[in-house]
Amino acid sequence: MEKKKIITIFGTRPEAIKMAPLVKELEKREGIVSKVCVTAQHREMLDQVLEYFDINPDFDLNIMKNKQSLTGITNRVLEGLEEIFSKEKPDMVLVHGDTTTTFSGALAAFYQQIKVGHVEAGLRTHNKYFPFPEEMNRKLTASLADLHFAPTKNSKKNLIKEGVNEKDIYITGNTVIDAMHHTVKEDFKFSIDLLNNIDYINKKVILITAHRRENWGEGINNICEALNRIVKENEDVELIYLVHLNPIVRDVVYEKLGNNERIHLLNPLDTNETHNLMNKCFMVMTDSGGLQEEAPHLGKPVLVLRDVTERPEAVEYGTVKLVGTDVEKIVYEANKLIKNEDEYLKMSRATNPYGDGYASKRIADIIENYFNIRKLEIKEFLK
Ligand code: UD1
């Protein structure tokens, strides 16, 4: 039987982390020719992940520009992929989640009537502008996709409500948990001395990330003010803020938090370093989506610096709490966990609502079934 050609497309760091285990799985399948195309919507942050997982892309659109606009990203991805798809003629294109690379990748495939598989499908806040532009990116991608790999039951329900045919949706778990099985190690040594020397036992080390578009301006300002107060009010707290390379975020964070010896501002770390830092820290405060999935897997409480989330599973389970970007509310909720052990223990139960480490294998099996390469039994992730 003729092999099927699958091109996996991604462009930002989190997509790369979550697609890497799937790329590795597809490479093992005899009936599949697996190719990787990176848009490089992110450059350095993407390259770190490619190197860690030892992935050499077959195609690299190299589109990133300083302070890039959404229109610019969309145009450059559409044009770049048009050329690659017309030459390569893949049987299916795989995209991930909700970035502008994701939507443009799905649209470029649709324009050439190539099948689209959407990994991490069905996450919704049901609010068009939160997160912006991700909520719309994922909805539009769903309209273009032929196969929907929903991480949880809840994400499948969202897709059905929007009229997606149930037979095209599979609950797979999230591939990020597959990635964490490779990265997290109890005896991990960091590449930065500071991280090896911090006293994770006697200090309460809080890991921070915050960079989302809808938090630019007032949101980031408030977050910085709250972080300064938390450090001032708690002698045993140290903060490690991994500051995104986007200058719009970076300039504010360095100005407001740059002068405190208990606040450590670091560049984004490699994936394995971030996962292991999370494993050692006391808790996480973030506006990122990925960390909301990763930290519960490690039993770390998460305060989410957003008003809505597309990942309600861990909120329902009680390990993640939405606190928004109001200064008083952030300080109040953080202090509760720092000062009250019972509150902390309630939120620090390790749980796996997002996956069991087999998502990539399931997705590859489903693709093989779809193209009649082999008939495989699919056991969905039903947590
Ligand atoms: C993008 C995605 C967002 C995802 C996030 C993960 C869109 C619209 N946004 O947001 O969904 O959650 O990635 O991080 O798709 N930069 C560098 N080097 C890098 C990466 C970024 O210098 O390696 C700087 C550039 O100045 C770039 C800016 O960061 O213009 C913003 O990058 P962009 O991909 O547009 O937005 P993100 O906020 O990273």
Side-chain angles (χ1 to χ4, degrees), residues 328-380:
E328 295 305 324
K329 172 97 173 149
I330 298 174
V331 175
Y332 173 78
E333 292 293 347
N335 277 344
K336 213 156 82 176
L337 286 168
I338 296 164
K339 295 176 194 292
N340 183 332
E341 206 181 333
D342 288 341
E343 287 292 332
Y344 182 79
L345 288 175
K346 260 198 269 169
M347 276 189 77
S348 56
R349 288 173 295 167
T351 176
N352 256 336
Y354 298 114
D356 58 0
Y358 294 100
S360 309
K361 186 180 171 305
R362 285 190 189 98
I363 295 170
D365 286 354
I366 295 161
I367 294 172
E368 287 210 44
N369 276 355
Y370 184 77
F371 287 114
N372 291 316
I373 300 173
R374 285 190 293 168
K375 271 282 154 245
L376 298 162
E377 192 197 345
I378 312 291
K379 286 207 182 87
E380 290 184 288

Short mmCIF file of all heavy atoms in Angstrom, two decimals, residues 328-380:
data_model
loop_
_atom_site.label_atom_id
_atom_site.label_comp_id
_atom_site.label_asym_id
_atom_site.label_seq_id
_atom_site.Cartn_x
_atom_site.Cartn_y
_atom_site.Cartn_z
N GLU A 328 -5.67 43.52 44.27
CA GLU A 328 -6.07 43.03 45.60
C GLU A 328 -6.38 41.54 45.57
O GLU A 328 -6.03 40.79 46.48
CB GLU A 328 -7.33 43.78 46.10
CG GLU A 328 -7.12 45.26 46.36
CD GLU A 328 -5.98 45.55 47.33
OE1 GLU A 328 -5.80 44.76 48.28
OE2 GLU A 328 -5.25 46.54 47.11
N LYS A 329 -7.08 41.14 44.53
CA LYS A 329 -7.50 39.74 44.43
C LYS A 329 -6.27 38.82 44.26
O LYS A 329 -6.19 37.76 44.91
CB LYS A 329 -8.45 39.62 43.22
CG LYS A 329 -8.84 38.24 42.84
CD LYS A 329 -10.19 37.83 43.42
CE LYS A 329 -10.57 36.48 42.83
NZ LYS A 329 -11.33 35.63 43.62
N ILE A 330 -5.31 39.24 43.44
CA ILE A 330 -4.11 38.40 43.25
C ILE A 330 -3.37 38.25 44.58
O ILE A 330 -3.01 37.15 45.00
CB ILE A 330 -3.14 39.01 42.20
CG1 ILE A 330 -3.80 39.12 40.82
CG2 ILE A 330 -1.85 38.19 42.10
CD1 ILE A 330 -2.95 39.85 39.77
N VAL A 331 -3.18 39.39 45.28
CA VAL A 331 -2.43 39.36 46.54
C VAL A 331 -3.16 38.49 47.56
O VAL A 331 -2.57 37.63 48.24
CB VAL A 331 -2.21 40.79 47.09
CG1 VAL A 331 -1.55 40.76 48.46
CG2 VAL A 331 -1.39 41.62 46.11
N TYR A 332 -4.49 38.66 47.64
CA TYR A 332 -5.29 37.91 48.60
C TYR A 332 -5.18 36.40 48.36
O TYR A 332 -4.91 35.62 49.28
CB TYR A 332 -6.76 38.37 48.49
CG TYR A 332 -7.72 37.56 49.32
CD1 TYR A 332 -7.81 37.79 50.69
CD2 TYR A 332 -8.51 36.58 48.73
CE1 TYR A 332 -8.68 37.03 51.47
CE2 TYR A 332 -9.38 35.82 49.50
CZ TYR A 332 -9.47 36.05 50.87
OH TYR A 332 -10.32 35.29 51.63
N GLU A 333 -5.34 35.99 47.11
CA GLU A 333 -5.33 34.55 46.81
C GLU A 333 -3.94 33.96 46.98
O GLU A 333 -3.79 32.83 47.45
CB GLU A 333 -5.83 34.29 45.37
CG GLU A 333 -7.31 34.61 45.15
CD GLU A 333 -8.26 33.68 45.91
OE1 GLU A 333 -7.81 32.64 46.42
OE2 GLU A 333 -9.45 34.03 46.01
N ALA A 334 -2.91 34.73 46.61
CA ALA A 334 -1.54 34.21 46.78
C ALA A 334 -1.23 34.08 48.27
O ALA A 334 -0.71 33.05 48.72
CB ALA A 334 -0.55 35.14 46.09
N ASN A 335 -1.58 35.08 49.05
CA ASN A 335 -1.30 35.04 50.50
C ASN A 335 -1.99 33.86 51.17
O ASN A 335 -1.47 33.25 52.10
CB ASN A 335 -1.73 36.35 51.17
CG ASN A 335 -0.66 37.43 51.02
OD1 ASN A 335 0.49 37.13 50.70
ND2 ASN A 335 -1.04 38.67 51.25
N LYS A 336 -3.19 33.57 50.70
CA LYS A 336 -3.94 32.45 51.28
C LYS A 336 -3.12 31.15 51.14
O LYS A 336 -3.02 30.37 52.08
CB LYS A 336 -5.27 32.32 50.52
CG LYS A 336 -6.40 31.85 51.39
CD LYS A 336 -7.76 32.27 50.86
CE LYS A 336 -8.23 31.35 49.78
NZ LYS A 336 -9.60 31.68 49.33
N LEU A 337 -2.54 30.95 49.98
CA LEU A 337 -1.76 29.71 49.77
C LEU A 337 -0.43 29.74 50.50
O LEU A 337 0.05 28.73 51.00
CB LEU A 337 -1.52 29.51 48.27
CG LEU A 337 -2.74 29.06 47.49
CD1 LEU A 337 -2.48 29.16 45.99
CD2 LEU A 337 -3.11 27.63 47.85
N ILE A 338 0.18 30.94 50.54
CA ILE A 338 1.49 31.06 51.18
C ILE A 338 1.38 30.89 52.70
O ILE A 338 2.19 30.24 53.34
CB ILE A 338 2.13 32.44 50.84
CG1 ILE A 338 2.39 32.53 49.33
CG2 ILE A 338 3.40 32.67 51.63
CD1 ILE A 338 2.65 33.95 48.82
N LYS A 339 0.31 31.46 53.27
CA LYS A 339 0.23 31.52 54.73
C LYS A 339 -0.60 30.39 55.36
O LYS A 339 -0.52 30.16 56.56
CB LYS A 339 -0.37 32.87 55.16
CG LYS A 339 0.51 34.08 54.81
CD LYS A 339 -0.20 35.38 55.19
CE LYS A 339 0.43 36.60 54.59
NZ LYS A 339 1.76 36.94 55.11
N ASN A 340 -1.44 29.73 54.55
CA ASN A 340 -2.35 28.77 55.15
C ASN A 340 -2.11 27.37 54.57
O ASN A 340 -2.45 27.08 53.43
CB ASN A 340 -3.79 29.23 54.86
CG ASN A 340 -4.83 28.35 55.50
OD1 ASN A 340 -4.58 27.16 55.72
ND2 ASN A 340 -5.98 28.92 55.78
N GLU A 341 -1.52 26.50 55.40
CA GLU A 341 -1.10 25.19 54.89
C GLU A 341 -2.29 24.35 54.42
O GLU A 341 -2.19 23.61 53.43
CB GLU A 341 -0.32 24.46 55.97
CG GLU A 341 0.62 23.46 55.35
CD GLU A 341 1.42 22.68 56.38
OE1 GLU A 341 1.66 23.21 57.49
OE2 GLU A 341 1.80 21.53 56.06
N ASP A 342 -3.41 24.47 55.13
CA ASP A 342 -4.59 23.67 54.72
C ASP A 342 -5.04 24.05 53.32
O ASP A 342 -5.36 23.20 52.50
CB ASP A 342 -5.76 23.89 55.68
CG ASP A 342 -5.48 23.22 57.00
OD1 ASP A 342 -4.59 22.33 57.01
OD2 ASP A 342 -6.11 23.59 58.01
N GLU A 343 -5.07 25.36 53.08
CA GLU A 343 -5.47 25.83 51.74
C GLU A 343 -4.51 25.28 50.70
O GLU A 343 -4.90 24.86 49.62
CB GLU A 343 -5.43 27.37 51.67
CG GLU A 343 -6.55 28.06 52.42
CD GLU A 343 -7.92 27.84 51.79
OE1 GLU A 343 -7.98 27.62 50.56
OE2 GLU A 343 -8.92 27.86 52.54
N TYR A 344 -3.22 25.31 51.05
CA TYR A 344 -2.20 24.84 50.11
C TYR A 344 -2.40 23.35 49.81
O TYR A 344 -2.41 22.93 48.66
CB TYR A 344 -0.80 25.10 50.67
CG TYR A 344 0.27 24.66 49.70
CD1 TYR A 344 0.62 25.46 48.62
CD2 TYR A 344 0.90 23.42 49.83
CE1 TYR A 344 1.57 25.05 47.69
CE2 TYR A 344 1.85 23.00 48.91
CZ TYR A 344 2.18 23.81 47.85
OH TYR A 344 3.11 23.39 46.93
N LEU A 345 -2.60 22.57 50.86
CA LEU A 345 -2.72 21.12 50.66
C LEU A 345 -3.94 20.78 49.81
O LEU A 345 -3.90 19.90 48.96
CB LEU A 345 -2.79 20.39 52.01
CG LEU A 345 -1.45 20.38 52.76
CD1 LEU A 345 -1.60 19.75 54.13
CD2 LEU A 345 -0.37 19.64 51.94
N LYS A 346 -5.02 21.55 50.02
CA LYS A 346 -6.24 21.31 49.23
C LYS A 346 -5.97 21.45 47.74
O LYS A 346 -6.54 20.77 46.91
CB LYS A 346 -7.32 22.34 49.62
CG LYS A 346 -8.35 21.80 50.60
CD LYS A 346 -9.58 22.69 50.59
CE LYS A 346 -9.43 23.77 51.65
NZ LYS A 346 -10.40 24.84 51.60
N MET A 347 -5.09 22.41 47.41
CA MET A 347 -4.87 22.70 45.99
C MET A 347 -3.68 21.95 45.39
O MET A 347 -3.37 22.14 44.23
CB MET A 347 -4.64 24.21 45.78
CG MET A 347 -5.93 24.98 45.67
SD MET A 347 -5.63 26.70 45.17
CE MET A 347 -5.31 26.57 43.41
N SER A 348 -3.02 21.12 46.19
CA SER A 348 -1.78 20.54 45.64
C SER A 348 -1.86 19.02 45.44
O SER A 348 -0.86 18.33 45.52
CB SER A 348 -0.58 20.92 46.51
OG SER A 348 -0.81 20.54 47.83
N ARG A 349 -3.05 18.53 45.19
CA ARG A 349 -3.17 17.09 44.89
C ARG A 349 -2.79 16.86 43.43
O ARG A 349 -3.33 17.49 42.54
CB ARG A 349 -4.62 16.64 45.07
CG ARG A 349 -5.05 16.57 46.52
CD ARG A 349 -6.52 16.30 46.61
NE ARG A 349 -7.30 17.40 46.05
CZ ARG A 349 -8.59 17.33 45.79
NH1 ARG A 349 -9.25 16.22 45.98
NH2 ARG A 349 -9.23 18.38 45.30
N ALA A 350 -1.88 15.94 43.21
CA ALA A 350 -1.50 15.64 41.81
C ALA A 350 -2.67 14.97 41.11
O ALA A 350 -3.35 14.12 41.68
CB ALA A 350 -0.30 14.73 41.79
N THR A 351 -2.94 15.41 39.92
CA THR A 351 -4.06 14.84 39.18
C THR A 351 -3.74 14.91 37.70
O THR A 351 -2.87 15.64 37.28
CB THR A 351 -5.35 15.61 39.46
OG1 THR A 351 -6.37 15.07 38.63
CG2 THR A 351 -5.22 17.09 39.14
N ASN A 352 -4.46 14.15 36.94
CA ASN A 352 -4.20 14.09 35.51
C ASN A 352 -5.43 14.33 34.66
O ASN A 352 -5.74 13.50 33.82
CB ASN A 352 -3.69 12.68 35.20
CG ASN A 352 -2.22 12.68 34.98
OD1 ASN A 352 -1.67 13.71 34.64
ND2 ASN A 352 -1.60 11.53 35.16
N PRO A 353 -6.17 15.41 34.86
CA PRO A 353 -7.40 15.53 34.07
C PRO A 353 -7.10 15.73 32.59
O PRO A 353 -8.00 15.66 31.77
CB PRO A 353 -8.09 16.77 34.66
CG PRO A 353 -7.00 17.57 35.25
CD PRO A 353 -5.93 16.61 35.68
N TYR A 354 -5.84 16.02 32.25
CA TYR A 354 -5.53 16.38 30.86
C TYR A 354 -4.86 15.29 30.05
O TYR A 354 -4.65 15.48 28.85
CB TYR A 354 -4.64 17.63 30.85
CG TYR A 354 -5.34 18.80 31.47
CD1 TYR A 354 -4.91 19.35 32.66
CD2 TYR A 354 -6.49 19.32 30.86
CE1 TYR A 354 -5.58 20.42 33.23
CE2 TYR A 354 -7.16 20.38 31.44
CZ TYR A 354 -6.70 20.92 32.62
OH TYR A 354 -7.38 21.96 33.19
N GLY A 355 -4.49 14.17 30.67
CA GLY A 355 -3.87 13.15 29.82
C GLY A 355 -3.20 12.06 30.63
O GLY A 355 -3.04 12.18 31.84
N ASP A 356 -2.82 10.98 29.94
CA ASP A 356 -2.21 9.83 30.59
C ASP A 356 -0.88 9.43 29.95
O ASP A 356 -0.32 8.39 30.26
CB ASP A 356 -3.17 8.63 30.56
CG ASP A 356 -3.55 8.26 29.12
OD1 ASP A 356 -3.07 8.92 28.17
OD2 ASP A 356 -4.33 7.32 28.94
N GLY A 357 -0.38 10.28 29.03
CA GLY A 357 0.92 9.96 28.42
C GLY A 357 0.80 9.19 27.11
O GLY A 357 1.82 8.88 26.49
N TYR A 358 -0.43 8.85 26.68
CA TYR A 358 -0.59 8.06 25.45
C TYR A 358 -1.30 8.82 24.34
O TYR A 358 -1.80 8.22 23.39
CB TYR A 358 -1.36 6.76 25.76
CG TYR A 358 -0.58 5.84 26.65
CD1 TYR A 358 -0.86 5.78 28.02
CD2 TYR A 358 0.47 5.08 26.15
CE1 TYR A 358 -0.11 4.97 28.85
CE2 TYR A 358 1.21 4.26 26.98
CZ TYR A 358 0.92 4.22 28.33
OH TYR A 358 1.67 3.42 29.15
N ALA A 359 -1.41 10.12 24.45
CA ALA A 359 -2.18 10.89 23.46
C ALA A 359 -1.57 10.76 22.05
O ALA A 359 -2.30 10.54 21.08
CB ALA A 359 -2.22 12.36 23.87
N SER A 360 -0.26 10.86 21.94
CA SER A 360 0.37 10.81 20.61
C SER A 360 0.15 9.45 19.96
O SER A 360 -0.11 9.37 18.75
CB SER A 360 1.88 11.02 20.72
OG SER A 360 2.14 12.15 21.46
N LYS A 361 0.25 8.41 20.74
CA LYS A 361 0.03 7.06 20.19
C LYS A 361 -1.40 6.95 19.68
O LYS A 361 -1.64 6.45 18.57
CB LYS A 361 0.31 6.04 21.29
CG LYS A 361 0.27 4.63 20.77
CD LYS A 361 0.55 3.61 21.85
CE LYS A 361 0.28 2.20 21.33
NZ LYS A 361 -1.07 2.03 20.78
N ARG A 362 -2.35 7.43 20.47
CA ARG A 362 -3.76 7.37 20.02
C ARG A 362 -3.94 8.14 18.71
O ARG A 362 -4.58 7.67 17.79
CB ARG A 362 -4.69 8.00 21.06
CG ARG A 362 -4.92 7.15 22.25
CD ARG A 362 -6.04 7.72 23.13
NE ARG A 362 -6.06 6.98 24.37
CZ ARG A 362 -5.49 7.37 25.51
NH1 ARG A 362 -4.91 8.56 25.59
NH2 ARG A 362 -5.52 6.61 26.58
N ILE A 363 -3.37 9.34 18.65
CA ILE A 363 -3.55 10.18 17.45
C ILE A 363 -2.97 9.47 16.22
O ILE A 363 -3.60 9.40 15.16
CB ILE A 363 -2.93 11.58 17.66
CG1 ILE A 363 -3.70 12.31 18.77
CG2 ILE A 363 -2.93 12.39 16.36
CD1 ILE A 363 -3.06 13.62 19.25
N ALA A 364 -1.78 8.92 16.37
CA ALA A 364 -1.17 8.20 15.24
C ALA A 364 -2.03 7.00 14.83
O ALA A 364 -2.24 6.74 13.64
CB ALA A 364 0.25 7.77 15.60
N ASP A 365 -2.56 6.28 15.81
CA ASP A 365 -3.45 5.13 15.50
C ASP A 365 -4.69 5.60 14.74
O ASP A 365 -5.12 4.97 13.77
CB ASP A 365 -3.92 4.45 16.80
CG ASP A 365 -2.82 3.62 17.45
OD1 ASP A 365 -1.73 3.48 16.84
OD2 ASP A 365 -3.05 3.11 18.57
N ILE A 366 -5.27 6.71 15.19
CA ILE A 366 -6.50 7.22 14.55
C ILE A 366 -6.20 7.60 13.09
O ILE A 366 -6.98 7.32 12.19
CB ILE A 366 -7.06 8.43 15.35
CG1 ILE A 366 -7.51 7.97 16.74
CG2 ILE A 366 -8.23 9.08 14.60
CD1 ILE A 366 -7.65 9.09 17.76
N ILE A 367 -5.04 8.21 12.88
CA ILE A 367 -4.67 8.59 11.50
C ILE A 367 -4.49 7.34 10.63
O ILE A 367 -4.95 7.28 9.49
CB ILE A 367 -3.39 9.47 11.51
CG1 ILE A 367 -3.70 10.80 12.21
CG2 ILE A 367 -2.88 9.71 10.10
CD1 ILE A 367 -2.49 11.68 12.47
N GLU A 368 -3.87 6.34 11.20
CA GLU A 368 -3.71 5.09 10.43
C GLU A 368 -5.08 4.50 10.08
O GLU A 368 -5.30 4.04 8.96
CB GLU A 368 -2.88 4.08 11.23
CG GLU A 368 -1.41 4.44 11.29
CD GLU A 368 -0.51 3.21 11.40
OE1 GLU A 368 -0.74 2.23 10.67
OE2 GLU A 368 0.41 3.23 12.24
N ASN A 369 -5.97 4.49 11.03
CA ASN A 369 -7.33 3.98 10.75
C ASN A 369 -8.02 4.81 9.67
O ASN A 369 -8.66 4.28 8.78
CB ASN A 369 -8.20 4.05 12.02
CG ASN A 369 -8.00 2.85 12.90
OD1 ASN A 369 -7.29 1.92 12.53
ND2 ASN A 369 -8.62 2.86 14.07
N TYR A 370 -7.88 6.11 9.79
CA TYR A 370 -8.56 7.03 8.88
C TYR A 370 -8.17 6.76 7.43
O TYR A 370 -8.99 6.78 6.52
CB TYR A 370 -8.19 8.47 9.28
CG TYR A 370 -8.88 9.54 8.48
CD1 TYR A 370 -10.21 9.89 8.74
CD2 TYR A 370 -8.20 10.24 7.48
CE1 TYR A 370 -10.84 10.89 8.03
CE2 TYR A 370 -8.82 11.24 6.76
CZ TYR A 370 -10.14 11.56 7.04
OH TYR A 370 -10.77 12.56 6.32
N PHE A 371 -6.88 6.48 7.22
CA PHE A 371 -6.40 6.23 5.85
C PHE A 371 -6.35 4.73 5.52
O PHE A 371 -5.74 4.33 4.53
CB PHE A 371 -5.00 6.83 5.67
CG PHE A 371 -5.02 8.33 5.57
CD1 PHE A 371 -4.44 9.13 6.54
CD2 PHE A 371 -5.63 8.96 4.49
CE1 PHE A 371 -4.46 10.51 6.45
CE2 PHE A 371 -5.64 10.35 4.38
CZ PHE A 371 -5.06 11.13 5.36
N ASN A 372 -6.97 3.92 6.38
CA ASN A 372 -6.95 2.46 6.18
C ASN A 372 -5.54 1.89 6.02
O ASN A 372 -5.34 0.95 5.25
CB ASN A 372 -7.77 2.06 4.94
CG ASN A 372 -9.24 2.30 5.18
OD1 ASN A 372 -9.74 1.94 6.25
ND2 ASN A 372 -9.91 2.92 4.24
N ILE A 373 -4.59 2.46 6.72
CA ILE A 373 -3.22 1.92 6.65
C ILE A 373 -3.19 0.60 7.44
O ILE A 373 -2.70 -0.41 6.96
CB ILE A 373 -2.20 2.93 7.24
CG1 ILE A 373 -2.25 4.24 6.45
CG2 ILE A 373 -0.79 2.34 7.25
CD1 ILE A 373 -1.42 5.38 7.02
N ARG A 374 -3.70 0.67 8.67
CA ARG A 374 -3.91 -0.55 9.48
C ARG A 374 -5.21 -0.36 10.23
O ARG A 374 -5.62 0.76 10.46
CB ARG A 374 -2.79 -0.69 10.53
CG ARG A 374 -1.48 -1.14 9.95
CD ARG A 374 -0.52 -1.50 11.08
NE ARG A 374 -0.12 -0.33 11.88
CZ ARG A 374 0.53 -0.41 13.05
NH1 ARG A 374 0.82 -1.58 13.57
NH2 ARG A 374 0.88 0.68 13.69
N LYS A 375 -5.83 -1.42 10.63
CA LYS A 375 -7.03 -1.30 11.46
C LYS A 375 -6.58 -1.48 12.92
O LYS A 375 -6.10 -2.54 13.30
CB LYS A 375 -8.06 -2.37 11.09
CG LYS A 375 -9.01 -1.92 9.99
CD LYS A 375 -10.09 -0.97 10.55
CE LYS A 375 -10.64 -0.03 9.49
NZ LYS A 375 -10.38 1.39 9.70
N LEU A 376 -6.71 -0.43 13.71
CA LEU A 376 -6.24 -0.50 15.09
C LEU A 376 -7.38 -0.17 16.04
O LEU A 376 -8.25 0.64 15.71
CB LEU A 376 -5.10 0.52 15.27
CG LEU A 376 -3.87 0.28 14.39
CD1 LEU A 376 -3.01 1.52 14.29
CD2 LEU A 376 -3.07 -0.89 14.92
N GLU A 377 -7.36 -0.81 17.19
CA GLU A 377 -8.41 -0.53 18.16
C GLU A 377 -8.06 0.75 18.92
O GLU A 377 -6.94 0.88 19.42
CB GLU A 377 -8.53 -1.70 19.14
CG GLU A 377 -9.77 -1.62 19.99
CD GLU A 377 -9.68 -2.52 21.22
OE1 GLU A 377 -8.78 -3.39 21.25
OE2 GLU A 377 -10.48 -2.31 22.14
N ILE A 378 -9.01 1.69 18.99
CA ILE A 378 -8.71 2.95 19.68
C ILE A 378 -9.41 2.94 21.04
O ILE A 378 -10.63 2.82 21.11
CB ILE A 378 -9.24 4.17 18.88
CG1 ILE A 378 -8.85 4.09 17.39
CG2 ILE A 378 -8.83 5.49 19.53
CD1 ILE A 378 -7.39 4.27 17.11
N LYS A 379 -8.62 3.10 22.10
CA LYS A 379 -9.23 3.28 23.42
C LYS A 379 -9.07 4.75 23.79
O LYS A 379 -7.96 5.22 24.03
CB LYS A 379 -8.53 2.41 24.46
CG LYS A 379 -8.86 0.95 24.34
CD LYS A 379 -8.71 0.25 25.71
CE LYS A 379 -8.99 -1.22 25.60
NZ LYS A 379 -7.81 -2.02 25.23
N GLU A 380 -10.19 5.46 23.83
CA GLU A 380 -10.10 6.90 24.08
C GLU A 380 -9.66 7.19 25.52
O GLU A 380 -9.71 6.32 26.38
CB GLU A 380 -11.45 7.56 23.79
CG GLU A 380 -11.76 7.57 22.29
CD GLU A 380 -13.04 8.32 21.98
OE1 GLU A 380 -14.12 7.78 22.31
OE2 GLU A 380 -12.96 9.41 21.44
#
